[in-house]
Amino acid sequence: MEIHSKKDEKFKPDKLSIDMKIETRKIYKNITKVKGRMISSVDWKLMLYINENKLDEDEVFVVEEFFKSLLNPGTYPLFTCSCGVFGCGGYYVEVVHETERIIWLTEQSPFIDQTIESSNKFIFSWVQIIKISKELIQEFEHLKSIMNANELEFNYDIEKYHRIINEIIERYSNVRRNPCKVNSGGIKEDE
């Protein structure tokens, strides 16, 4: 039996996973009695799962805050209301960095199925977080290509996300080479 987010000899880190759904369609814009024109629309949805349990879709994952949280520990508005206004809904996640793992402490159960028992503490390995971050970047690169093909604006800084991941990989590599000193991000680095 795998036990997630528990400290004992059978401990296994929690697993974060993503799924992105993209739909392209044509819609009418500037419809009047006389004329209107068809334009492209790209609808997309990013779904998150922890240990294969779907997170509540009414709380939208804030990608920019996720990547910020990888650089420094702290409290981040990782989930916002589906309307886009954090004050309307959403919640903060306290992000803790440790040498080999990153911890999310949520204000509430993040799951769509509220019957799932959870301590609201999720422990991910840095290796897994780096892997899921790269997958997330790939999904956004695919979305960007679709948006560009439909002559639509894309507002995510993929290059910035690549730089953040490279910095995290460098920090993690330093941990493996010289486990002597811990920086403010909880990653050990050279003295």
Side-chain angles (χ1 to χ4, degrees):
M1 177 177 149
E2 294 177 355
I3 299 175
H4 297 273
S5 297
K6 304 272 189 270
K7 289 187 175 183
D8 66 13
E9 65 276 357
K10 295 181 183 177
F11 171 76
K12 181 172 180 171
D14 293 298
K15 183 179 178 200
L16 184 64
S17 55
I18 60 168
D19 186 26
M20 184 179 278
K21 302 286 186 205
I22 303 171
E23 178 184 326
T24 303
R25 58 192 172 101
K26 298 284 186 182
I27 58 173
Y28 279 101
K29 183 176 181 181
N30 298 332
I31 299 174
T32 66
K33 290 181 181 178
V34 179
K35 61 181 175 180
R37 64 183 179 120
M38 293 290 284
I39 63 167
S40 296
S41 173
V42 177
D43 298 319
W44 62 276
K45 183 188 312 187
L46 180 65
M47 292 156 291
L48 267 69
Y49 301 82
I50 296 177
N51 304 327
E52 299 180 7
N53 295 306
K54 190 175 191 176
L55 274 59
D56 191 348
E57 291 180 27
D58 288 339
E59 308 292 348
V60 178
F61 184 62
V62 184
V63 175
E64 187 73 22
E65 294 297 324
F66 169 71
F67 280 100
K68 284 182 194 175
S69 79
L70 299 181
L71 291 172
N72 296 298
T75 303
Y76 295 89
L78 284 185
F79 297 90
T80 191
C81 180
S82 58
C83 75
V85 177
F86 182 76
C88 177
Y91 57 92
Y92 289 98
V93 175
E94 183 180 347
V95 179
V96 178
H97 290 191
E98 292 184 353
T99 304
E100 297 286 332
R101 57 195 186 170
I102 187 168
I103 301 168
W104 284 5
L105 302 168
T106 63
E107 294 179 339
Q108 65 190 50
S109 174
F111 301 112
I112 196 165
D113 181 354
Q114 293 295 310
T115 63
I116 296 171
E117 289 189 31
S118 167
S119 66
N120 297 348
K121 178 179 181 178
F122 304 98
I123 304 171
F124 309 105
S125 74
W126 276 107
V127 171
Q128 203 267 326
I129 285 293
I130 290 167
K131 179 180 178 244
I132 200 70
S133 297
K134 287 180 176 182
E135 289 176 22
L136 187 55
I137 289 170
Q138 286 179 336
E139 292 289 347
F140 273 98
E141 286 172 338
H142 177 65
L143 176 60
K144 182 179 180 179
S145 70
I146 293 171
M147 300 284 278
N148 288 342
N150 287 283
E151 300 176 352
L152 297 170
E153 188 175 339
F154 182 78
N155 293 317
Y156 290 88
D157 191 348
I158 295 173
E159 290 306 314
K160 177 181 173 182
Y161 304 155
H162 277 292
R163 287 190 303 272
I164 290 170
I165 293 306
N166 289 336
E167 183 177 334
I168 299 304
I169 291 169
E170 180 64 29
R171 287 184 193 178
Y172 190 74
S173 297
N174 288 335
V175 169
R176 305 312 248 169
R177 284 193 302 257
N178 186 3
C180 297
K181 183 179 173 186
V182 177
N183 68 18
S184 63
I187 303 291
K188 293 187 180 183
E189 58 185 28
D190 298 314
E191 291 187 290

